[in-house]
Amino acid sequence: MSGTITTGNHPAALWPGVHKFVMGSYNEHPTEYSKIFSVEKSNMAYEEDVETSGFGLAGVKAEGTPTSYDSHQQGGTVRYRHIAYSLGYVVTREEKDDNLYKSKSFKRGKQLSLSFRTTKEIVHANILNRGFDAAYTGGTDGVELFSTAHPTLSGNQSNTLAVAADLSEAALEDMLIDIMDSKNSRGLQIAVKDDCLIIPTALSFEAERIVKSNLRVGTDFNDINAMKSMGLLPGGIVANHYLTDADAWFVKTNVESGLTSFQRKGFEFTKDNDFDTDNAKAKGYERYSVGWTDWRGVFGSPGA
């Protein structure tokens, strides 16, 4: 499409009698990425997280023998390099002068803002959308986000089901058990807790039945819903409109350095005029980075 808006782009705006231009009359989704990512501010060209190892188990010390000493060392590094996003439009002098509906027509600034908000949601959701793809690596260990083979000092660890499964009561319970059994890089048990269930909109009804029913769903037994009774998933269900796989589902945990978003420069909307052409220019600009540091911050399944 042409980057300059002329009188030919909206000829109806040059004539009286138009009741309404419907562009921009839709409701918008509230911000969704901030329910999944830890959002932080940055004033640097990039941010870097560095993993450090803990210590192993304490050994038995026989009487009169020296203490054994363990090492504490640097692990992997992940760099969040901020990316700039920009988009604008140009309007000719004639289009501005001859448009009879300036006060109520195109709401171009609002539409530009929507473009930036949608872009930001997609950029964040793509971390999960691409999380099972080995072509997209990150974190401190250099492998895809969801893997059964995250390398650690105590051997490979996993944040995905051993056998991929669709969302169900049994599959969700298996994942919650895996979260309960989480270990650090030295193989010691750590208190990782589930926070919320992240789903595409296609799983909204199934997730609601599984998580919020008082009794078990789809059985002839009068058993309680154990997940609800135990107070698991305190953050509830987070449906995200920008997830592209209708079968994939995820559980966010309380690990602090998991999914992370650094805001380097918030959305800016600026306008100016070109002296030679008398064209009016408007543009938006934003700069941020998205990724993950500790894969224990989210567990996931791509579906069966």
Side-chain angles (χ1 to χ4, degrees):
M1 299 179 67
S2 172
T4 301
I5 301 170
T6 69
T7 54
N9 287 83
H10 298 285
L14 309 179
W15 295 88
V18 176
H19 171 64
K20 180 188 294 185
F21 291 94
V22 298
M23 174 181 172
S25 61
Y26 304 107
N27 293 327
E28 300 173 13
H29 294 300
T31 301
E32 296 183 1
Y33 74 88
S34 58
K35 299 177 182 178
I36 301 173
F37 287 77
S38 173
V39 181
E40 303 183 30
K41 292 185 180 295
S42 171
N43 58 4
M44 309 290 287
Y46 60 85
E47 298 287 344
E48 199 166 78
D49 286 349
V50 181
E51 182 186 29
T52 59
S53 68
F55 297 108
L57 295 172
V60 175
K61 180 184 177 300
E63 183 178 356
T65 62
T67 295
S68 297
Y69 293 90
D70 198 358
S71 63
H72 187 272
Q73 62 193 53
Q74 178 176 312
T77 300
V78 57
R79 177 171 293 185
Y80 293 81
R81 189 174 295 279
H82 310 312
I83 298 175
Y85 298 86
S86 185
L87 181 68
Y89 57 87
V90 179
V91 181
T92 65
R93 170 70 180 271
E94 291 75 16
E95 202 278 344
K96 288 196 303 176
D97 290 345
D98 298 345
N99 187 340
L100 301 181
Y101 305 92
K102 296 181 181 68
S103 63
K104 64 175 183 179
S105 59
F106 303 125
K107 302 179 182 177
R108 290 172 179 139
K110 181 178 180 181
Q111 288 296 313
L112 190 64
S113 177
L114 174 61
S115 296
F116 274 83
R117 287 197 297 274
T118 304
T119 298
K120 199 168 190 177
E121 292 286 0
I122 292 173
V123 169
H124 283 75
N126 278 344
I127 298 297
L128 298 179
N129 291 332
R130 300 167 177 169
F132 302 94
D133 190 339
Y136 295 94
T137 60
T140 57
D141 60 8
V143 302
E144 65 268 29
L145 176 55
F146 301 105
S147 173
T148 58
H150 285 288
T152 74
L153 293 176
S154 61
N156 288 342
Q157 296 184 24
S158 173
N159 65 337
T160 187
L161 297 174
V163 178
D166 290 333
L167 179 63
S168 67
E169 179 188 44
L172 182 53
E173 287 180 352
D174 285 343
M175 186 171 290
L176 294 175
I177 291 171
D178 288 344
I179 292 171
M180 294 175 188
D181 291 340
S182 293
K183 299 178 181 179
N184 68 8
S185 63
R186 297 302 299 268
L188 276 61
Q189 296 290 147
I190 50 177
V192 177
K193 297 184 180 298
D194 53 272
D195 177 43
C196 64
L197 173 64
I198 304 167
I199 55 164
T201 55
L203 294 177
S204 296
F205 298 102
E206 185 67 17
E208 189 79 6
R209 286 187 287 266
I210 293 173
V211 174
K212 296 186 178 182
S213 295
N214 291 319
L215 304 179
R216 294 184 63 191
V217 177
T219 74
D220 295 329
F221 305 107
N222 194 30
D223 297 342
I224 62 169
N225 181 336
M227 287 178 284
K228 184 174 182 179
S229 176
M230 295 169 66
L232 302 180
L233 298 170
I237 301 168
V238 176
N240 187 284
H241 291 82
Y242 308 92
L243 296 175
T244 55
D245 189 338
D247 297 321
W249 51 281
F250 315 89
V251 174
K252 179 185 175 184
T253 74
N254 67 338
V255 171
E256 293 183 359
S257 299
L259 300 174
T260 305
S261 171
F262 283 101
Q263 184 74 52
R264 179 64 179 89
K265 184 67 69 173
F267 176 69
E268 296 176 345
F269 180 71
T270 55
K271 297 186 290 185
D272 202 356
N273 292 318
D274 182 74
F275 180 80
D276 291 326
T277 64
D278 281 338
N279 289 347
K281 293 184 174 181
K283 69 176 182 178
Y285 177 90
E286 191 169 15
R287 190 174 173 210
Y288 51 89
S289 59
V290 181
W292 73 92
T293 298
D294 191 337
W295 51 264
R296 299 171 185 83
V298 61
F299 286 58
S301 172

